[in-house]
Amino acid sequence: MLMEDYLYRAMLYTKKQIKELIPYDDSFLWVDEVEKIESNSIVAYKQTSKDDEYFKSHFVDFPLMPGVLVVEGIAQTGTILLRERMGKENRKKHLLAYQVRSAFFYEIILPGSRIEYRVRMLGMYNEKIANFIGEAYCENSKKCEVRFSVAIIDKTELEKKTEDVRQKEKGGNILKMSSLPALKIGNIFSPIPIIQGGMAVRVSLHKLAGNVAKEGGVGIIAISGMRDPQEVKNEIRKAREIAGKKGTIGINIMGVIGQFQNLLGAALEEGVDLVIQGAGSRNDIFEMSKKYNVPVFIIASSAKVAKKAEEAGASAVVIEGCDAGGHLGFPEGHPFRKTIDIVKETVKEIKIPIIAAGGIFDGKDIVNMLRAGAKGVQMATRFVATDECDADKEFKKAYISAKEEDVVIIKSPVGLPGRAIKNTFVEKLMNNNAPSVNLSECEGCIGPVCDKTYCILKALENARKGDMKNGLVFAGSNVFRIKKIISVRELMNELVKQANQILSKDPLIQYI
């Protein structure tokens, strides 16, 4: 066949673009780049490294490229070609069940080799099965040939089959909900499955928490940064007055603060409904809360941490992904991960309820998290831009004035990354010119975990009071989408309306 017989167009898919088509972690993705597609043919590459762990797993004395990974790379290249051929229909399909009909290796592939994949689609049967032949080359020498098939299935059809299997396994019935379900965890009941995130220092106090609870959500008072236990009690009491008897009020507290037990004890004595703890999971929180029959939710950024929280006695976990504001649970060396990906992974590992947090902006996001397996969501950034938020008006103005490029990642003295809005103070941090800490004034508010590069407590408090030049303004990744300040009631109604419009057309499935 002559070249002009092909519908030819040169193209280059980067690793990032390939991951959008094949949403695997890097360790499972065996295609780095697509060079070109010519009708039914595709050429792609994988650059291996001598330092990769897979070379050390089986062949200690003489490392080789495992054949199964070469086959996987060829198969992934074939699916990229298939998705390209499908065009817009690609988004409606799942590509499943590689069937390897034959695989021949002519020569070994050594670590560090650049592998060229050449894959051609031989044909498609009834739009259900696509057959391929693929080859792997190194320096123009053919190393491998594979014949394989890929099954094509509609996402809707697959989801229905999956639901039927789950129903049979659980021996229960399917419940279809055309509106947002209530949040029920232990003795906690909230008509709307939205928890307002706890924002320290003193950004979310009684006024915000009380009004969120009044409108049917869960209001959270952030008590980290407080020193006087009586202040904790006063805030909870004032929030209750706003929320009414049926309102649900909780607290958020960091596990690393020095006044942990005193502040937590005050909240429990005052009759708070739930406790959310971030920055680790402490054993004493379960011991103290159990005496008052108060459930504890632990913030986690991985299924592993969530599992440990469940084993320790948590009533629920708040899965917080990389799009959240403030401190992020991804220490140096740990890749940032999206909330929904962690939720899908965690729901398979634990039995206690999951609350999704980080990057949730509207009703569509809420529904997506519920479909992924969460029982509710936690939202913080949206609630700052409300009339009732306890922060200064200048703090709120920073939110509605922020542009996408203003949202940056900074390093916190506690050793974690944090997401903030760029201002004079943040620019100093990014230029390694942070205001030094006066050690004689240091109160050890977060103990030895603080490296004292700057006083984050003072910076957060400055911002909350409206001092934007000397303050640190934490915010989520979607803050630039906020354009105006509205009431808590307006925000809650907006979120519920958006979610219910989606669910009225495509109900949420739960098993009972």
Side-chain angles (χ1 to χ4, degrees):
M1 182 176 290
L2 298 174
M3 180 62 71
E4 53 264 30
D5 293 330
Y6 287 107
L7 174 62
Y8 174 82
R9 61 187 182 89
M11 64 189 319
L12 177 67
Y13 281 166
T14 64
K15 187 70 169 283
K16 181 179 179 181
Q17 292 170 320
I18 292 171
K19 289 185 73 171
E20 292 177 359
L21 292 174
I22 308 177
Y24 290 169
D25 289 337
D26 285 343
S27 56
F28 294 98
L29 191 59
W30 283 90
V31 186
D32 288 338
E33 182 183 73
V34 173
E35 181 185 72
K36 61 183 177 181
I37 293 179
E38 299 175 348
S39 186
N40 289 337
S41 300
I42 184 172
V43 177
Y45 295 94
K46 170 67 178 180
Q47 178 62 58
T48 67
S49 169
K50 295 180 180 180
D51 298 324
D52 285 334
E53 288 296 320
Y54 47 76
F55 291 132
K56 305 173 184 177
S57 57
H58 298 294
F59 308 101
V60 178
D61 296 330
F62 188 72
L64 297 174
M65 179 76 186
V68 67
L69 301 182
V70 178
V71 174
E72 178 68 21
I74 291 173
Q76 290 178 9
T77 301
T79 63
I80 294 172
L81 173 63
L82 185 54
R83 288 195 180 280
E84 177 74 12
R85 286 288 307 276
M86 287 179 180
K88 293 182 179 179
E89 290 298 308
N90 155 53
R91 298 181 180 276
K92 301 178 182 178
K93 306 292 184 180
H94 274 300
L95 305 184
L96 303 170
Y98 300 127
Q99 180 182 4
V100 178
R101 300 179 182 277
S102 63
F104 297 98
F105 283 84
Y106 304 106
E107 296 180 14
I108 62 173
I109 298 178
L110 297 174
S113 299
R114 179 172 171 81
I115 305 172
E116 177 183 341
Y117 303 122
R118 303 177 189 174
V119 180
R120 181 162 54 94
M121 188 166 74
L122 302 174
M124 190 181 302
Y125 173 73
N126 200 27
E127 300 298 320
K128 297 288 186 181
I129 300 291
N131 296 316
F132 296 86
I133 181 171
E135 300 168 327
Y137 288 77
C138 293
E139 298 180 349
N140 291 319
S141 175
K142 185 174 178 179
K143 305 291 186 179
C144 172
E145 180 179 300
V146 181
R147 292 179 181 268
F148 63 100
S149 300
V150 174
I152 308 165
I153 185 169
D154 286 313
K155 287 184 178 180
T156 304
E157 181 183 345
L158 180 62
E159 288 168 1
K160 185 179 183 304
K161 289 182 178 180
T162 303
E163 288 170 9
D164 292 343
V165 171
R166 287 176 179 169
Q167 183 184 3
K168 290 179 181 179
E169 289 178 348
K170 296 190 176 189
N173 297 315
I174 292 177
L175 176 63
K176 295 185 177 182
M177 288 170 286
S178 55
S179 61
L180 280 177
L183 179 63
K184 302 175 185 177
I185 300 177
N187 56 3
I188 299 298
F189 176 85
S190 174
I192 301 172
I194 296 175
I195 298 175
Q196 161 250 313
M199 294 170 282
V201 177
R202 296 182 177 86
V203 173
S204 59
L205 297 175
H206 71 272
K207 191 176 179 182
L208 177 58
N211 278 283
V212 172
K214 181 181 179 181
E215 298 302 325
V218 177
I220 302 294
I221 298 168
I223 67 174
S224 298
M226 296 183 184
R227 297 175 179 81
D228 184 0
Q230 190 57 48
E231 181 183 2
V232 174
K233 291 186 176 184
N234 291 341
E235 288 295 328
I236 295 172
R237 198 170 299 151
K238 291 176 182 178
R240 288 235 183 267
E241 291 174 1
I242 298 172
K245 293 182 179 180
K246 294 184 178 180
T248 302
I249 300 294
I251 62 159
N252 176 290
I253 186 169
M254 292 176 64
V256 295
I257 63 172
Q259 290 285 323
F260 183 87
Q261 291 193 351
N262 290 338
L263 298 179
L264 174 61
L268 294 171
E269 289 173 10
E270 190 57 36
V272 75
D273 294 315
L274 75 152
V275 175
I276 299 178
Q277 188 206 317
S281 177
R282 297 175 52 139
N283 292 329
D284 53 357
I285 195 172
F286 300 109
E287 297 169 4
M288 294 175 67
S289 300
K290 189 175 182 180
K291 295 177 183 178
Y292 294 87
N293 194 31
V294 173
V296 175
F297 295 12
I298 298 296
I299 298 176
S301 294
S302 70
K304 183 178 180 180
V305 174
K307 183 67 175 176
K308 289 182 178 179
E310 179 182 45
E311 293 170 349
S315 298
V317 290
V318 179
I319 294 297
E320 188 173 83
C322 64
D323 289 311
H327 289 112
L328 305 175
F330 302 95
E332 188 173 351
H334 290 70
F336 280 17
R337 298 187 63 198
K338 294 285 186 180
T339 302
I340 198 163
D341 294 332
I342 309 173
V343 168
K344 289 178 179 179
E345 179 181 294
T346 306
V347 76
K348 300 174 184 178
E349 301 295 328
I350 66 174
K351 296 180 180 179
I352 58 176
I354 293 171
I355 305 298
I360 300 165
F361 188 84
D362 54 23
K364 181 181 178 181
D365 295 331
I366 295 172
V367 172
N368 287 341
M369 293 302 172
L370 297 181
R371 293 198 199 283
K375 296 300 181 184
V377 300
Q378 177 179 283
M379 302 176 66
T381 297
R382 291 295 308 268
F383 284 103
V384 169
T386 60
D387 298 318
E388 295 85 352
C389 177
D390 299 272
D392 186 86
K393 63 180 181 180
E394 293 300 320
F395 190 99
K396 300 176 188 180
K397 284 183 180 179
Y399 269 52
I400 61 176
S401 301
K403 299 176 182 178
E404 187 171 5
E405 58 267 26
D406 295 330
V407 186
V408 297
I409 299 295
I410 57 97
K411 184 178 180 181
S412 166
V414 303
L416 290 172
R419 179 172 280 106
I421 298 174
K422 188 184 291 185
N423 60 6
T424 302
F425 183 83
V426 168
E427 287 178 349
K428 289 181 179 179
L429 295 185
M430 298 177 75
N431 292 322
N432 296 316
N433 191 29
S436 59
V437 176
N438 186 338
L439 297 180
S440 65
E441 296 178 356
C442 182
E443 299 180 21
C445 58
I446 50 178
V449 298
C450 180
D451 65 13
K452 297 179 176 56
T453 50
Y454 63 95
C455 181
I456 192 168
L457 180 64
K458 181 183 291 186
L460 292 171
E461 186 70 359
N462 285 342
R464 195 271 302 182
K465 291 178 179 179
D467 182 359
M468 293 298 105
K469 290 184 179 180
N470 300 297
L472 176 59
V473 184
F474 276 153
S477 64
N478 286 312
V479 64
F480 67 95
R481 296 171 62 184
I482 300 175
K483 303 304 179 184
K484 62 180 180 178
I485 298 172
I486 59 177
S487 69
V488 166
R489 173 172 288 185
E490 287 177 289
L491 177 56
M492 293 291 283
N493 287 342
E494 174 189 313
L495 295 171
V496 171
K497 181 180 179 180
Q498 291 171 346
N500 286 347
Q501 285 177 342
I502 296 170
L503 293 174
S504 65
K505 299 175 182 178
D506 187 7
L508 178 67
I509 304 296
Q510 286 193 353
Y511 299 90
I512 56 174

